[in-house]
Coordinates of all heavy atoms in Angstrom, one line a residue:
I69 N -4.3 -0.4 -13.1 CA -2.9 -0.9 -13.3 C -2.1 -0.6 -12.1 O -1.2 -1.4 -11.7 CB -2.2 -0.2 -14.6 CG1 -3.0 -0.5 -15.8 CG2 -0.8 -0.6 -14.7 CD1 -2.6 0.3 -17.0
E70 N -2.3 0.5 -11.4 CA -1.7 0.8 -10.1 C -2.0 -0.3 -9.1 O -1.1 -0.8 -8.4 CB -2.1 2.1 -9.6 CG -1.5 3.3 -10.3 CD -1.9 4.6 -9.7 OE1 -3.0 4.7 -9.1 OE2 -1.1 5.6 -9.8
D71 N -3.2 -0.8 -9.0 CA -3.6 -1.8 -8.1 C -2.9 -3.1 -8.5 O -2.4 -3.9 -7.6 CB -5.1 -2.0 -8.1 CG -5.9 -1.0 -7.3 OD1 -5.2 -0.2 -6.6 OD2 -7.1 -0.9 -7.5
V72 N -2.8 -3.4 -9.8 CA -2.1 -4.7 -10.2 C -0.7 -4.6 -9.8 O -0.1 -5.5 -9.3 CB -2.3 -4.8 -11.7 CG1 -1.4 -6.0 -12.2 CG2 -3.8 -5.1 -12.1
L73 N -0.1 -3.4 -10.1 CA 1.4 -3.2 -9.7 C 1.6 -3.4 -8.2 O 2.6 -4.0 -7.8 CB 1.8 -1.8 -10.2 CG 3.2 -1.4 -9.8 CD1 4.2 -2.3 -10.4 CD2 3.5 0.0 -10.3
A74 N 0.7 -2.8 -7.4 CA 0.9 -2.9 -6.0 C 0.8 -4.4 -5.6 O 1.5 -4.9 -4.7 CB -0.2 -2.1 -5.3
G75 N -0.1 -5.2 -6.2 CA -0.3 -6.6 -5.9 C 1.0 -7.4 -6.3 O 1.5 -8.2 -5.5
V76 N 1.5 -7.1 -7.5 CA 2.7 -7.8 -7.9 C 3.9 -7.5 -7.0 O 4.7 -8.3 -6.7 CB 3.1 -7.4 -9.4 CG1 4.4 -7.9 -9.8 CG2 2.0 -7.9 -10.3
E77 N 4.0 -6.2 -6.6 CA 5.1 -5.8 -5.7 C 4.9 -6.5 -4.3 O 5.9 -6.8 -3.6 CB 5.1 -4.3 -5.5 CG 5.6 -3.6 -6.7 CD 5.6 -2.1 -6.5 OE1 4.7 -1.6 -5.8 OE2 6.4 -1.4 -7.1
G78 N 3.7 -6.8 -4.0 CA 3.4 -7.5 -2.7 C 3.5 -9.0 -2.8 O 3.3 -9.8 -1.9
G79 N 3.9 -9.5 -4.0 CA 4.1 -11.0 -4.2 C 2.9 -11.7 -4.8 O 2.9 -13.0 -4.9
D80 N 1.8 -11.0 -5.2 CA 0.7 -11.7 -5.8 C 0.8 -11.8 -7.3 O 1.6 -11.1 -7.9 CB -0.6 -10.9 -5.5 CG -1.0 -10.9 -4.0 OD1 -0.6 -11.8 -3.3 OD2 -1.6 -9.9 -3.6
Y81 N 0.0 -12.7 -7.8 CA -0.1 -12.8 -9.3 C -0.9 -11.7 -9.8 O -1.8 -11.2 -9.1 CB -0.7 -14.2 -9.7 CG 0.2 -15.4 -9.6 CD1 -0.1 -16.4 -8.7 CD2 1.3 -15.5 -10.4 CE1 0.7 -17.5 -8.6 CE2 2.1 -16.6 -10.3 CZ 1.8 -17.6 -9.4 OH 2.6 -18.7 -9.3
M82 N -0.7 -11.3 -11.1 CA -1.5 -10.3 -11.7 C -3.0 -10.7 -11.8 O -3.8 -9.8 -11.5 CB -1.0 -10.0 -13.1 CG 0.3 -9.2 -13.2 SD 0.8 -9.0 -14.9 CE -0.7 -8.4 -15.7
Y83 N -3.2 -11.9 -12.1 CA -4.6 -12.3 -12.4 C -5.5 -12.2 -11.1 O -6.7 -12.0 -11.1 CB -4.7 -13.7 -13.0 CG -4.4 -14.8 -12.0 CD1 -5.4 -15.3 -11.1 CD2 -3.1 -15.4 -11.9 CE1 -5.1 -16.4 -10.2 CE2 -2.8 -16.4 -11.0 CZ -3.8 -16.9 -10.2 OH -3.6 -17.9 -9.3
S84 N -4.8 -12.4 -9.9 CA -5.6 -12.3 -8.7 C -6.1 -10.9 -8.4 O -7.2 -10.8 -7.8 CB -4.7 -12.8 -7.5 OG -3.6 -11.9 -7.3
T85 N -5.4 -9.9 -8.9 CA -5.9 -8.5 -8.8 C -7.0 -8.2 -9.9 O -8.0 -7.6 -9.6 CB -4.8 -7.5 -8.9 OG1 -3.8 -7.8 -7.9 CG2 -5.3 -6.1 -8.7
L86 N -6.7 -8.7 -11.1 CA -7.6 -8.5 -12.2 C -9.0 -9.1 -11.9 O -10.0 -8.6 -12.4 CB -7.0 -9.1 -13.5 CG -5.8 -8.4 -14.1 CD1 -5.3 -9.1 -15.3 CD2 -6.2 -6.9 -14.5
E87 N -9.0 -10.2 -11.1 CA -10.3 -10.8 -10.8 C -11.2 -9.9 -10.1 O -12.5 -10.0 -10.1 CB -10.1 -12.1 -10.0 CG -9.5 -13.3 -10.9 CD -9.1 -14.5 -10.0 OE1 -9.0 -14.3 -8.8 OE2 -9.0 -15.6 -10.6
Y88 N -10.7 -8.9 -9.3 CA -11.5 -7.9 -8.7 C -12.2 -7.0 -9.7 O -13.1 -6.2 -9.3 CB -10.7 -7.1 -7.7 CG -10.3 -7.9 -6.4 CD1 -9.0 -8.4 -6.3 CD2 -11.2 -8.2 -5.4 CE1 -8.6 -9.1 -5.2 CE2 -10.9 -8.9 -4.3 CZ -9.6 -9.4 -4.2 OH -9.2 -10.1 -3.0
Y89 N -11.7 -6.9 -10.9 CA -12.2 -6.1 -11.9 C -12.8 -6.9 -13.0 O -12.7 -6.6 -14.2 CB -11.1 -5.2 -12.5 CG -10.5 -4.3 -11.4 CD1 -9.3 -4.6 -10.8 CD2 -11.1 -3.1 -11.1 CE1 -8.7 -3.8 -9.8 CE2 -10.5 -2.2 -10.1 CZ -9.3 -2.6 -9.5 OH -8.8 -1.8 -8.6
S90 N -13.6 -8.0 -12.7 CA -14.2 -8.8 -13.7 C -15.3 -8.2 -14.4 O -15.7 -8.7 -15.5 CB -14.7 -10.1 -13.0 OG -15.7 -9.7 -12.0
D91 N -15.8 -7.0 -13.9 CA -16.8 -6.2 -14.6 C -16.2 -5.4 -15.8 O -16.9 -4.9 -16.6 CB -17.6 -5.3 -13.7 CG -16.7 -4.4 -13.0 OD1 -15.5 -4.7 -12.7 OD2 -17.1 -3.2 -12.6
I92 N -14.9 -5.3 -15.8 CA -14.1 -4.6 -16.8 C -13.4 -5.5 -17.8 O -13.5 -5.4 -19.0 CB -13.2 -3.5 -16.2 CG1 -14.0 -2.5 -15.4 CG2 -12.3 -2.9 -17.2 CD1 -13.2 -1.5 -14.6
F93 N -12.7 -6.4 -17.2 CA -11.9 -7.4 -18.0 C -12.7 -8.7 -18.2 O -13.2 -9.3 -17.2 CB -10.6 -7.7 -17.3 CG -9.6 -6.6 -17.2 CD1 -9.6 -5.7 -16.1 CD2 -8.7 -6.3 -18.2 CE1 -8.8 -4.6 -16.0 CE2 -7.8 -5.2 -18.1 CZ -7.9 -4.4 -17.0
P94 N -12.8 -9.1 -19.4 CA -13.6 -10.4 -19.7 C -13.0 -11.6 -19.0 O -11.8 -11.6 -18.7 CB -13.5 -10.5 -21.2 CG -13.1 -9.2 -21.7 CD -12.3 -8.5 -20.7
Y95 N -13.9 -12.5 -18.6 CA -13.4 -13.7 -17.9 C -12.3 -14.4 -18.7 O -11.3 -14.9 -18.1 CB -14.6 -14.6 -17.7 CG -14.3 -16.0 -17.2 CD1 -14.1 -16.2 -15.8 CD2 -14.1 -17.1 -18.0 CE1 -13.8 -17.4 -15.3 CE2 -13.7 -18.3 -17.5 CZ -13.6 -18.5 -16.2 OH -13.3 -19.7 -15.7
I96 N -12.5 -14.5 -20.0 CA -11.5 -15.3 -20.8 C -10.1 -14.5 -20.7 O -9.1 -15.2 -20.7 CB -11.9 -15.4 -22.2 CG1 -13.3 -16.2 -22.3 CG2 -10.9 -16.2 -23.0 CD1 -13.3 -17.5 -21.6
Y97 N -10.2 -13.2 -20.8 CA -8.9 -12.4 -20.7 C -8.2 -12.7 -19.4 O -7.0 -13.0 -19.4 CB -9.3 -10.9 -20.8 CG -8.1 -10.0 -20.8 CD1 -7.5 -9.5 -21.9 CD2 -7.6 -9.5 -19.5 CE1 -6.4 -8.7 -21.9 CE2 -6.6 -8.7 -19.5 CZ -6.0 -8.2 -20.6 OH -4.9 -7.4 -20.6
I98 N -8.9 -12.6 -18.3 CA -8.3 -12.9 -17.0 C -7.7 -14.3 -17.0 O -6.6 -14.6 -16.4 CB -9.3 -12.7 -15.9 CG1 -9.7 -11.2 -15.9 CG2 -8.6 -13.0 -14.5 CD1 -10.8 -10.9 -14.9
S99 N -8.4 -15.3 -17.5 CA -8.0 -16.7 -17.5 C -6.7 -16.9 -18.3 O -5.9 -17.6 -18.0 CB -9.1 -17.6 -18.0 OG -10.2 -17.5 -17.2
L100 N -6.6 -16.1 -19.5 CA -5.4 -16.3 -20.3 C -4.2 -15.7 -19.5 O -3.1 -16.3 -19.6 CB -5.6 -15.5 -21.6 CG -6.6 -16.2 -22.6 CD1 -6.9 -15.2 -23.8 CD2 -5.9 -17.4 -23.2
I101 N -4.4 -14.6 -18.8 CA -3.3 -14.1 -18.0 C -2.9 -15.1 -16.9 O -1.7 -15.3 -16.7 CB -3.7 -12.7 -17.4 CG1 -4.1 -11.7 -18.4 CG2 -2.6 -12.2 -16.5 CD1 -3.0 -11.4 -19.4
K102 N -3.9 -15.7 -16.3 CA -3.7 -16.7 -15.3 C -2.9 -17.9 -15.9 O -1.9 -18.4 -15.3 CB -5.0 -17.2 -14.7 CG -4.8 -18.2 -13.6 CD -6.2 -18.6 -13.0 CE -6.1 -19.5 -11.8 NZ -7.4 -19.9 -11.2
V103 N -3.3 -18.4 -17.0 CA -2.5 -19.5 -17.7 C -1.1 -19.1 -17.9 O -0.2 -19.8 -17.7 CB -3.2 -19.9 -19.0 CG1 -2.4 -20.8 -19.8 CG2 -4.6 -20.6 -18.7
G104 N -0.9 -17.9 -18.5 CA 0.4 -17.4 -18.8 C 1.3 -17.3 -17.5 O 2.5 -17.7 -17.5
E105 N 0.8 -16.8 -16.4 CA 1.5 -16.7 -15.2 C 1.9 -18.0 -14.6 O 3.0 -18.2 -14.1 CB 0.8 -15.8 -14.2 CG 0.7 -14.3 -14.6 CD 0.2 -13.4 -13.5 OE1 -1.0 -13.5 -13.3 OE2 1.0 -12.7 -12.9
L106 N 0.9 -18.9 -14.6 CA 1.1 -20.2 -14.0 C 2.0 -21.1 -14.8 O 2.7 -22.0 -14.3 CB -0.2 -21.0 -13.8 CG -1.2 -20.3 -12.8 CD1 -2.5 -21.1 -12.7 CD2 -0.5 -20.2 -11.4
S107 N 2.1 -20.9 -16.1 CA 2.9 -21.7 -17.0 C 4.2 -21.1 -17.4 O 5.1 -21.7 -18.0 CB 2.1 -22.0 -18.3 OG 1.9 -20.8 -19.0
G108 N 4.4 -19.8 -16.9 CA 5.7 -19.1 -17.2 C 5.8 -18.6 -18.6 O 6.9 -18.4 -19.1
S109 N 4.7 -18.4 -19.3 CA 4.7 -17.9 -20.6 C 3.7 -16.7 -20.8 O 2.8 -16.7 -21.6 CB 4.3 -19.0 -21.6 OG 3.0 -19.5 -21.3
L110 N 3.9 -15.7 -19.9 CA 3.0 -14.5 -19.8 C 3.0 -13.8 -21.1 O 2.0 -13.3 -21.6 CB 3.4 -13.6 -18.7 CG 2.5 -12.4 -18.5 CD1 1.1 -12.8 -18.3 CD2 3.0 -11.5 -17.3
D111 N 4.2 -13.6 -21.8 CA 4.2 -12.8 -23.0 C 3.4 -13.4 -24.1 O 2.6 -12.7 -24.8 CB 5.7 -12.6 -23.5 CG 6.4 -14.0 -23.6 OD1 5.9 -15.0 -23.0 OD2 7.5 -14.0 -24.2
E112 N 3.4 -14.8 -24.2 CA 2.6 -15.4 -25.2 C 1.1 -15.3 -24.8 O 0.2 -15.2 -25.7 CB 3.0 -16.9 -25.3 CG 4.3 -17.1 -26.0 CD 4.4 -16.5 -27.4 OE1 3.4 -16.7 -28.1 OE2 5.4 -15.9 -27.7
S113 N 0.8 -15.4 -23.5 CA -0.6 -15.3 -23.1 C -1.1 -13.9 -23.4 O -2.3 -13.7 -23.8 CB -0.7 -15.6 -21.6 OG -0.7 -16.9 -21.4
L114 N -0.3 -12.9 -23.3 CA -0.7 -11.5 -23.6 C -1.0 -11.4 -25.1 O -2.0 -10.7 -25.5 CB 0.4 -10.5 -23.2 CG 0.7 -10.3 -21.7 CD1 2.0 -9.6 -21.5 CD2 -0.5 -9.5 -21.1
K115 N -0.2 -12.0 -25.9 CA -0.5 -12.1 -27.3 C -1.8 -12.7 -27.6 O -2.6 -12.2 -28.4 CB 0.7 -12.8 -28.0 CG 0.6 -12.8 -29.5 CD 1.8 -13.5 -30.2 CE 1.7 -13.5 -31.7 NZ 2.8 -14.3 -32.3
E116 N -2.1 -13.9 -27.0 CA -3.3 -14.6 -27.1 C -4.5 -13.7 -26.7 O -5.6 -13.7 -27.2 CB -3.3 -15.9 -26.4 CG -2.4 -17.0 -27.0 CD -2.9 -17.4 -28.4 OE1 -4.1 -17.4 -28.6 OE2 -2.1 -17.6 -29.3
A117 N -4.3 -12.9 -25.6 CA -5.3 -12.1 -25.0 C -5.7 -11.0 -26.0 O -6.9 -10.7 -26.2 CB -4.9 -11.5 -23.7
V118 N -4.7 -10.4 -26.7 CA -5.0 -9.4 -27.7 C -5.7 -10.0 -28.9 O -6.7 -9.4 -29.4 CB -3.6 -8.8 -28.2 CG1 -3.9 -7.9 -29.4 CG2 -3.0 -8.0 -27.1
N119 N -5.3 -11.2 -29.3 CA -6.0 -11.9 -30.4 C -7.5 -12.2 -30.0 O -8.4 -12.0 -30.8 CB -5.3 -13.2 -30.7 CG -4.0 -13.0 -31.4 OD1 -3.7 -11.9 -32.0 ND2 -3.1 -14.0 -31.3
Y120 N -7.7 -12.6 -28.7 CA -9.0 -12.8 -28.3 C -9.9 -11.6 -28.3 O -11.0 -11.6 -28.8 CB -9.0 -13.4 -26.8 CG -10.3 -13.3 -26.1 CD1 -11.4 -14.0 -26.5 CD2 -10.5 -12.3 -25.1 CE1 -12.6 -13.9 -25.8 CE2 -11.7 -12.2 -24.4 CZ -12.8 -13.0 -24.8 OH -14.0 -12.8 -24.1
L121 N -9.4 -10.5 -27.8 CA -10.1 -9.2 -27.8 C -10.4 -8.7 -29.2 O -11.6 -8.3 -29.5 CB -9.4 -8.1 -27.1 CG -9.2 -8.3 -25.6 CD1 -8.3 -7.3 -25.0 CD2 -10.6 -8.3 -24.9

Side-chain angles (χ1 to χ4, degrees):
I69 299 172
E70 284 183 332
D71 284 346
V72 174
L73 175 57
V76 172
E77 289 178 331
D80 292 334
Y81 284 113
M82 283 179 52
Y83 73 83
S84 61
T85 304
L86 290 175
E87 286 174 345
Y88 288 103
Y89 298 98
S90 58
D91 57 329
I92 295 175
F93 294 90
Y95 172 83
I96 302 302
Y97 179 93
I98 297 173
S99 297
L100 286 169
I101 300 300
K102 183 176 183 178
V103 169
E105 290 190 286
L106 295 179
S107 64
S109 56
L110 181 58
D111 52 345
E112 291 300 319
S113 284
L114 290 168
K115 184 178 179 181
E116 288 297 320
V118 171
N119 291 336
Y120 160 71
L121 293 171

